[in-house]
Amino acid sequence: GAGVSQSPSNKVTEKGKDVELRCDPISGHTALYWYRQSLGQGLEFLIYFQGNSAPDKSGLPSDRFSAERTGGSVSTLTIQRTQQEDSAVYLCASSPGVAGRDTQYFGPGTRLTVL
Amino acid sequence: GESVGLHLPTLSVQEGDNSIINCAYSNSASDYFIWYKQESGKGPQFIIDIRSNMDKRQGQRVTVLLNKTVKHLSLQIAATQPGDSAVYFCAENRTGRRALTFGSGTRLQVQP
């Protein structure tokens, strides 16, 4: 079956521009996560969605970052006024059940480069 | 503060040998652990998980060992193959927490 997909795979933007990153989770998965991975580093949690509950935004690094999940499926991560330190791979994951207690399946990521 | 850390940043093994990748965690409340494999340019891929009520779990060519006394986790790969070359991350979670906490990763290099 289809896994988690993300688009675009690569995004190059200029400092100060806004970007939108998209995630399509595995069908039927109720939990969706966004992580950020800097070069050679582990994964940094950004935001989490579970069903119709309010998202857990505790990992967002600044108010320039926001995310939404429409219809309990597709999610968009938006970064406004991008900075060079935003350059990283942005990974999306989904899981089928209770948050943090079920295996998270990752997409291939979007590599963001801010010039 | 809490952390999930790895002892070695790079591990080099000969093809056919067994590999052992180690991970330490600091939070005694952690009760769910996962190993992920990440190949270059790809997202992390689930390998195996273990809950804190177990101390060993086996999969295909992989075994995860959990020692809660010393807060240590290891991933053993039997008969390592070139296709096993990747970065391996351990991650932990605990009841009530939503996101996984990842270690910084160990790069496994398999020499032919």
Side-chain angles (χ1 to χ4, degrees), chain A residues 34-96:
Chain A
W34 283 98
Y35 291 87
R36 178 169 70 174
Q37 186 176 30
S38 300
L39 184 64
Q41 299 297 311
L43 279 71
E44 173 191 4
F45 166 72
L46 297 177
I47 189 170
Y48 154 79
F49 297 89
Q50 170 63 52
N52 295 322
S53 302
D56 177 350
K57 305 178 182 180
S58 60
L60 295 178
S62 78
D63 59 8
R64 296 187 295 105
F65 288 72
S66 63
E68 61 179 23
R69 188 179 185 192
T70 54
S73 181
V74 172
S75 177
T76 302
L77 177 70
T78 301
I79 309 173
Q80 295 178 311
R81 305 181 303 282
T82 52
Q83 304 294 313
Q84 289 182 334
E85 59 263 29
D86 299 334
S87 296
V89 176
Y90 289 82
L91 290 157
C92 175
S94 70
S95 70

Side-chain angles (χ1 to χ4, degrees), chain B residues 66-109:
Chain B
L66 175 63
N67 186 330
K68 294 181 287 294
T69 302
V70 296
K71 301 188 186 67
H72 184 268
L73 189 70
S74 68
L75 176 71
Q76 300 179 2
I77 305 173
T80 312
Q81 303 169 359
D84 295 327
S85 294
V87 176
Y88 290 80
F89 293 95
C90 65
E92 64 88 9
N93 208 336
R94 57 190 179 278
T95 303
R97 191 169 186 275
R98 292 179 171 130
L100 295 171
T101 300
F102 283 81
S104 56
T106 292
R107 179 173 301 280
L108 177 65
Q109 296 178 334

Side-chain angles (χ1 to χ4, degrees), chain B:
Chain B
E2 64 181 62
S3 66
V4 178
L6 295 167
H7 295 306
L8 296 173
T10 302
L11 177 64
S12 184
V13 299
Q14 293 293 317
E15 181 178 357
D17 287 352
N18 296 333
S19 304
I20 300 176
I21 302 172
N22 296 303
C23 179
Y25 63 97
S26 59
N27 195 320
S28 58
S30 299
D31 58 6
Y32 179 55
F33 305 87
I34 309 176
W35 281 100
Y36 284 93
K37 171 186 180 183
Q38 188 174 28
E39 296 174 283
S40 180
K42 298 182 179 179
Q45 175 187 1
F46 170 84
I47 300 174
I48 192 167
D49 62 358
I50 188 168
R51 301 195 186 276
S52 59
N53 60 350
M54 302 173 68
D55 54 17
K56 180 179 180 179
R57 191 169 187 211
Q58 289 185 293
Q60 186 177 12
R61 282 201 307 118
V62 295
T63 301
V64 56
L65 299 177
L66 175 63
N67 186 330
K68 294 181 287 294
T69 302
V70 296
K71 301 188 186 67
H72 184 268
L73 189 70
S74 68
L75 176 71
Q76 300 179 2
I77 305 173
T80 312
Q81 303 169 359
D84 295 327
S85 294
V87 176
Y88 290 80
F89 293 95
C90 65
E92 64 88 9
N93 208 336
R94 57 190 179 278
T95 303
R97 191 169 186 275
R98 292 179 171 130
L100 295 171
T101 300
F102 283 81
S104 56
T106 292
R107 179 173 301 280
L108 177 65
Q109 296 178 334
V110 182
Q111 307 297 328

